[in-house]
Amino acid sequence: LTQKGLIDRILTTTKMSDCKGKASPTDGSGKPLGSDKEGAPASASWSYPSVIGMLLYLASNSRPDIAYATHMAARYTHAPKASHEAAVIRICRYLQHTKNDGL
């Protein structure tokens, strides 16, 4: 069970259709994503809540491998910072690398 169409839609929305892939959806530090109260505000041209919604749907239906990273980023949907956008971009790069994976 794969959802390549949804992955393509996420990558297109975030303008990452041609990005280089990553082997992991998180940075590997083991630290949870923080609130980053002093961080720079989000500045991407895409809608953070919309992309998080698509990632949550994907994580709950066919890609449990992105569930932890997606839920960590979803905690900051109300006030995303640049660091949270970077986490979403990392997830997108992982999806690009593993586009054909599924259940």
Side-chain angles (χ1 to χ4, degrees):
L1 176 65
T2 62
Q3 291 184 324
K4 286 175 55 177
L6 181 55
I7 293 172
D8 288 337
R9 183 174 174 198
I10 293 168
L11 294 174
T12 301
T13 300
T14 56
K15 297 175 178 59
M16 298 192 68
S17 297
D18 299 322
C19 71
K20 183 178 175 186
K22 291 279 187 184
S24 170
T26 61
D27 65 2
S29 68
K31 296 187 314 183
L33 190 60
S35 63
D36 196 14
K37 293 179 183 177
E38 302 300 320
S43 62
S45 61
W46 40 271
S47 169
Y48 188 89
S50 176
V51 171
I52 288 293
M54 289 186 277
L55 288 170
L56 286 170
Y57 181 85
L58 187 63
S60 66
N61 290 299
S62 64
R63 296 297 300 266
D65 52 334
I66 66 167
Y68 176 75
T70 300
H71 283 91
M72 293 302 291
R75 297 183 334 173
Y76 306 102
T77 302
H78 63 286
K81 301 289 186 179
S83 60
H84 305 128
E85 283 180 344
V88 170
I89 288 170
R90 173 89 186 197
I91 297 168
C92 291
R93 288 182 156 196
Y94 175 73
L95 290 174
Q96 177 74 359
H97 182 69
T98 60
K99 192 182 293 190
N100 296 318
D101 292 356
L103 292 177

